[in-house]
């Protein structure tokens, strides 16, 4: 649970011509499940395969083909729910979300609207020592990914690659508790860190295996507090717009600020914000509405007739929980307690699973604070200079530990 000695960061304030405005941000993070096969078929999820080579008859929506649930993907969703301190729903069900894109062969996506696999949870997002935001998680649901349309291979034609079609996604939906661009980036980083520690997703943002839809609105100071005090009454908040498929922490922050300034300009000019899906161009920094934001009735959701409701046993849920690895917050607290290091050093060392493992291996039988200084300042500094990851370090934990031991003994 959140240490009550932590204080919440102040919301981002943007000065407008008619007064100050504050940001309100909610996020939908799509994390690809770390599974070798897709959610409803046995097709491979290998990244970088030849276009349309990882496509089964089910993925291609051939007539008469029926989906079969991948139990491993369900388990990974349950593990992720535990990692976010969330309620695991023993009963869940799949729905058809109807929309028509060239890269969606079925003409609908199988998702979970009414009965998700995971319910409410929370994430503790550290901003600086002693300052943290608790972000409420509304739900996690399983759904299948769509394919990919390619527009830059021919001036007159578009191509479709269905390799991603049917790949299992966990959509992690937050409440609108994030109050600045920096918090938004930190929240995505924390979700990415947790799923990597759990092993439920590799969190590779470059490959699109973890990406975020960012809902942005602005309100006057004090309105957000009224929203919370009145049971999340959205009438106190401004109309939100959604930035789609963001896969860079830097781009997320820049896009949020650009969209917030756009909304403020519209409102101060006497206009109204339309609930749109927004495109952001990282090259120009320009914001442009794509289409009106769809509501549930626009998708014509209805229970998927090809899949029975999913009912799982509490004993299975408990077994999954009992086998969870040590999570980032617990590991950071242990590093601070066992090795006497600062919160900052513990945060740096536990940011990645590989970094934490490297440090612990190096620190065996040695002074923790000294080892932390060597790993953070000397090793990490050199790896960054050489653009090398910790997994590819030319210096092993045993070798670095040996150097630290020799210095300590004045040998």
């Amino acid at each position: 649970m959140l240490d009550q000695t932590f204080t919440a960061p102040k919301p981002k304030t943007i000065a407008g011509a008619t007064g100050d405005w504050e940001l309100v941000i909610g996020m939908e993070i799509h994390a690809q499940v770390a599974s070798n096969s897709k959610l409803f078929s046995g097709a491979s999820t290998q990244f970088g395969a030849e276009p349309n080579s990882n496509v089964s008859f089910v993925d291609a929506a051939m007539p008469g083909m029926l989906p079969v649930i991948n139990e491993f993907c369900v388990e990974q969703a349950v593990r992720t729910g535990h990692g976010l301190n969330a309620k695991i729903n023993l009963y869940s069900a799949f729905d058809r979300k109807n929309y028509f894109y060239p890269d969606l062969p079925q003409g609908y996506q199988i998702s979970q609207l009414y009965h998700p696999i995971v319910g409410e949870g929370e994430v503790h997002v550290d901003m600086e020592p002693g300052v943290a935001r608790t972000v409420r998680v509304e739900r996690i649901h399983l759904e299948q990914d769509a394919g990919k349309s390619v527009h830059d291979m021919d001036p007159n034609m578009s191509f479709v690659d269905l390799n991603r079609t049917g790949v299992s996604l966990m959509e992690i939906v937050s409440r609108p508790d994030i109050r600045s661009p920096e918090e938004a980036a930190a929240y995505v980083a924390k979700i990415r860190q947790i799923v990597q520690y759990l092993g439920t997703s590799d969190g590779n943002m470059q490959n699109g295996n973890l990406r975020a839809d960012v809902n942005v609105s602005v309100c006057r100071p004090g309105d957000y507090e009224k929203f919370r005090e009145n049971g999340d009454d959205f009438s106190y908040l401004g109309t939100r717009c959604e930035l789609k498929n963001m896969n860079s922490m830097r781009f997320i922050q820049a896009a949020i600020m650009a969209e917030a300034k756009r909304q403020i300009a519209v409102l101060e000019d006497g206009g109204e914000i339309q609930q749109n899906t927004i495109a952001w161009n990282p090259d120009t920094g320009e914001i442009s509405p794509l289409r009106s934001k769809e509501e549930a009735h626009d998708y014509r959701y209805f229970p998927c007739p090809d899949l029975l409701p999913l009912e799982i046993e509490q004993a299975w849920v408990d077994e999954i929980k009992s086998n969870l690895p040590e999570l980032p917050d617990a590991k950071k607290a242990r590093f601070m307690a066992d090795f006497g290091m600062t919160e900052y050093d513990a945060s740096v060392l536990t940011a990645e699973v590989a970094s934490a493992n490297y440090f612990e291996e190096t620190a065996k039988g040695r002074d923790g604070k000294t080892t932390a200084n060597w790993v953070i300042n000397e090793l990490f500094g050199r790896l960054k200079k050489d653009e090398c990851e910790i997994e590819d370090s030319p210096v092993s934990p045993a070798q670095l530990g040996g150097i630290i031991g020799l210095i300590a003994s004045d040998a």
Side-chain angles (χ1 to χ4, degrees):
M1 297 299 292
L2 177 64
D3 188 333
Q4 295 301 313
T5 61
F6 285 88
T7 58
K10 294 181 179 180
K12 177 76 173 180
T13 300
I14 303 173
T18 62
D20 289 342
W21 298 84
E22 290 182 355
L23 275 167
V24 180
I25 303 163
M27 304 194 80
E28 301 163 8
I29 294 178
H30 296 81
Q32 179 176 322
V33 174
S35 170
N36 291 328
S37 55
K38 297 182 180 181
L39 182 56
F40 299 118
S41 81
S44 172
T45 60
Q46 178 190 4
F47 180 80
E50 286 295 315
N52 298 306
S53 61
N54 293 343
V55 185
S56 73
F57 288 136
V58 172
D59 306 323
M62 292 291 105
M65 296 296 103
L66 295 176
V68 177
I69 188 69
N70 183 334
E71 181 180 340
F72 181 75
C73 293
V74 176
E75 179 182 346
Q76 298 297 73
V78 172
R79 283 172 64 84
T80 302
H82 284 313
L84 302 185
N85 301 306
K87 176 187 176 184
I88 309 301
N89 295 321
L90 301 183
Y91 176 95
S92 61
F94 289 95
D95 307 291
R96 285 187 181 181
K97 178 182 180 181
N98 295 273
Y99 61 99
F100 297 94
Y101 287 158
D103 52 16
L104 192 67
Q106 295 161 310
Y108 58 84
Q109 178 189 41
I110 301 178
S111 184
Q112 294 183 311
L113 174 66
Y114 301 108
H115 301 286
I117 182 71
V118 177
E120 294 180 348
E122 66 177 28
V123 178
H124 178 66
V125 183
D126 294 305
M127 298 307 298
E128 57 184 86
V131 178
R133 174 75 69 193
T134 298
V135 179
R136 294 170 296 163
V137 172
E138 179 179 310
R139 57 192 279 143
I140 304 174
H141 61 260
L142 283 167
E143 64 183 22
Q144 57 182 172
D145 205 350
K148 178 182 179 182
S149 295
V150 182
H151 307 292
D152 57 1
M153 292 180 63
D154 187 281
N156 301 311
M157 294 188 294
S158 292
F159 297 86
V160 174
D161 180 4
L162 298 181
N163 279 349
R164 288 189 69 93
T165 300
V167 166
S168 180
L169 299 177
M170 298 178 289
E171 182 169 338
I172 304 166
V173 183
S174 84
R175 301 296 289 169
D177 293 344
I178 301 165
R179 307 302 312 282
S180 73
E182 295 77 18
E183 286 181 34
Y187 172 75
V188 175
K190 187 59 175 285
I191 292 291
R192 179 176 180 268
Q193 181 190 39
I194 290 171
V195 297
Q196 287 180 328
Y197 266 72
L198 290 167
T200 57
S201 175
D202 66 15
N204 189 321
M205 299 183 74
Q206 184 176 355
N207 292 350
N209 294 354
L210 190 141
R211 53 195 190 269
D213 296 340
V214 187
N215 290 285
V216 180
S217 66
V218 295
C219 66
R220 292 296 190 180
D223 284 349
Y224 181 81
E225 286 70 26
K226 295 175 184 176
F227 158 76
R228 291 296 299 269
E229 290 166 2
N230 288 275
D232 283 10
D233 184 344
F234 281 88
S235 66
Y236 289 99
L237 302 182
T239 301
R240 70 186 187 274
C241 292
E242 184 181 45
L243 297 157
K244 293 288 289 184
N245 291 329
M246 307 295 293
N247 66 344
S248 159
M249 308 300 188
R250 180 167 59 89
F251 290 170
I252 285 171
Q253 295 183 67
I256 288 172
M257 282 304 297
E259 171 57 14
K261 290 177 180 178
R262 182 191 73 85
Q263 291 186 22
I264 291 170
V266 170
L267 293 169
E268 293 193 327
D269 197 38
E272 294 185 357
I273 303 299
Q274 301 299 316
Q275 189 175 350
N276 289 328
T277 298
I278 301 293
W280 181 72
N281 188 325
D283 297 323
T284 64
E286 294 179 349
I287 285 285
S288 57
L290 287 175
R291 60 183 183 275
S292 61
K293 172 63 178 174
E294 298 90 344
E295 298 292 349
H297 61 265
D298 295 315
Y299 288 123
R300 305 187 314 283
Y301 278 98
F302 62 86
C304 181
D306 294 333
L307 290 162
L308 291 171
L310 184 62
E311 298 186 46
I312 57 179
E313 299 290 337
Q314 185 63 52
W316 187 60
V317 173
D318 294 340
E319 180 184 0
I320 293 171
K321 186 174 184 178
S322 68
N323 291 313
L324 293 182
E326 185 178 38
L327 292 170
D329 288 345
K331 191 177 290 288
K332 185 175 79 169
R334 180 170 62 81
F335 277 16
M336 293 169 64
D338 291 355
F339 299 109
M341 66 179 66
T342 65
E343 182 182 348
Y344 172 80
D345 285 352
S347 296
V348 172
L349 291 170
T350 58
E352 303 282 346
V353 182
S355 298
N357 292 341
Y358 186 102
F359 165 76
E360 287 209 84
E361 188 68 24
T362 306
K364 285 181 179 178
R366 300 182 177 87
D367 180 71
K369 294 177 70 174
T370 302
T371 304
N373 287 335
W374 271 88
V375 172
I376 294 171
N377 298 319
E378 302 299 331
L379 179 66
F380 286 0
R382 185 55 185 262
L383 291 176
K384 183 177 181 180
K385 181 180 178 181
D386 294 344
E387 299 182 347
C388 186
E389 300 295 331
I390 187 71
E391 296 91 338
D392 303 317
S393 172
V395 181
S396 69
Q399 290 171 328
L400 182 57
I403 293 171
I404 296 170
L406 289 171
I407 294 172
S409 64
D410 289 329

